[in-house]
Amino acid sequence: MKIAGQKESKIDPTLAEEIRQRCGENVFLCYQCKKCASGCPTRPFMESTPTELMRYLQLGMIDEAMKKDTIWYCLSCQTCSARCPQNIDIAHVVDAVKIIVQEKNIKVDTGNAKLFNRLWMTLLKYMGRMYEMGLTGMLNLFSGKPFKDLPLGIKLIKKGKLKLLPTIKRPFEMMKMFSRARDLKK
Ligand code: SF4
Ligand code: SF4
């Protein structure tokens, strides 16, 4: 597909079926009402909205679906899934797209969104809950700006809004959950 002034889109007609096999959701049920996008808390930061993502998946527009940063700004908050009049679990679809991108090792420029996602999951796996200070510190360190949020961090710690040390909660149960999820994938 080529539109004047735009680069050609790669089309994969099997994309919607792949999504259905991975998460059981039928993206063709989407009729573009935009209720998902209008309730999405991170939509203002995304290159394309969850509604547009659904359209790309319907049309098999693989680059648009996978290379834009939409999926990496998704918080899995489920607001879109709860609002969809067609009962599509859009958050689940987003997860399926994230998995495809990683399995196929598709190169995506997501700024730090992908790194953030990976660190977030790693902390959750080993600590059983979020450790904001560790997450921000590692994110800044791995993205080459170790002192970026230092002044803000000190201010927040002084006001008691940020904990210096992590709270670890049932880490072994969480690790078991992660390993069970990995086994289910095999
Ligand atoms: S689950 Fe993701 S896409 Fe859906 S509303 Fe929440 S942040 Fe937006
Ligand atoms: S809310 Fe459902 S039907 Fe409406 S645009 Fe989003 S996915 Fe499509």
Side-chain angles (χ1 to χ4, degrees):
M1 184 165 73
K2 183 148 171 124
I3 299 166
Q6 287 184 8
K7 65 178 172 54
E8 203 164 329
S9 292
K10 220 188 285 164
I11 302 293
D12 177 356
T14 64
L15 187 56
E17 177 56 21
E18 182 165 4
I19 296 290
R20 197 193 59 74
Q21 281 178 10
R22 284 179 183 260
C23 71
E25 298 300 323
N26 179 1
V27 295
F28 289 115
L29 291 176
C30 169
Y31 53 59
Q32 297 285 290
C33 71
K34 300 189 181 161
K35 277 191 92 176
C36 50
S38 60
C40 175
T42 50
R43 187 194 59 80
F45 307 102
M46 294 169 169
E47 270 179 275
S48 59
T49 68
T51 307
E52 288 164 342
L53 174 66
M54 298 303 281
R55 183 56 108 204
Y56 296 146
L57 295 173
Q58 288 174 337
L59 297 174
M61 294 169 72
I62 193 151
D63 282 349
E64 285 75 3
M66 308 211 171
K67 292 194 176 175
K68 295 198 176 205
D69 61 13
T70 309
I71 55 172
W72 302 108
Y73 275 103
C74 173
L75 304 168
S76 304
C77 70
Q78 303 270 338
T79 307
C80 51
S81 308
R83 287 169 66 93
C84 179
Q86 292 291 78
N87 288 326
I88 305 169
D89 189 342
I90 303 138
H92 206 178
V93 171
V94 170
D95 283 343
V97 179
K98 274 186 196 161
I99 292 168
I100 296 174
V101 170
Q102 293 185 90
E103 277 184 7
K104 296 192 173 169
N105 209 13
I106 296 172
K107 295 280 168 268
V108 202
D109 179 15
T110 61
N112 290 328
K114 195 172 167 188
L115 174 63
F116 177 93
N117 196 275
R118 194 163 287 172
L119 291 171
W120 191 89
M121 292 302 275
T122 306
L123 283 172
L124 195 65
K125 179 177 172 184
Y126 293 108
M127 295 188 172
R129 61 189 309 163
M130 193 29 59
Y131 173 37
E132 289 88 354
M133 176 100 163
L135 177 65
T136 316
M138 283 198 283
L139 183 66
N140 288 343
L141 189 67
F142 290 129
S143 56
K145 295 175 187 161
F147 305 113
K148 184 175 153 269
D149 295 310
L150 193 62
L152 178 65
I154 293 171
K155 225 190 257 181
L156 290 173
I157 291 168
K158 278 186 183 162
K159 289 191 173 181
K161 306 260 185 208
L162 196 62
K163 283 189 187 158
L164 202 52
L165 298 172
T167 314
I168 298 176
K169 200 165 182 184
R170 295 185 293 186
F172 297 113
E173 278 178 43
M174 195 56 90
M175 279 187 245
K176 254 192 249 163
M177 240 169 71
F178 271 79
S179 116
R180 173 111 178 91
R182 209 178 27 243
D183 291 346
L184 284 173
K185 224 182 78 182
K186 285 175 190 165

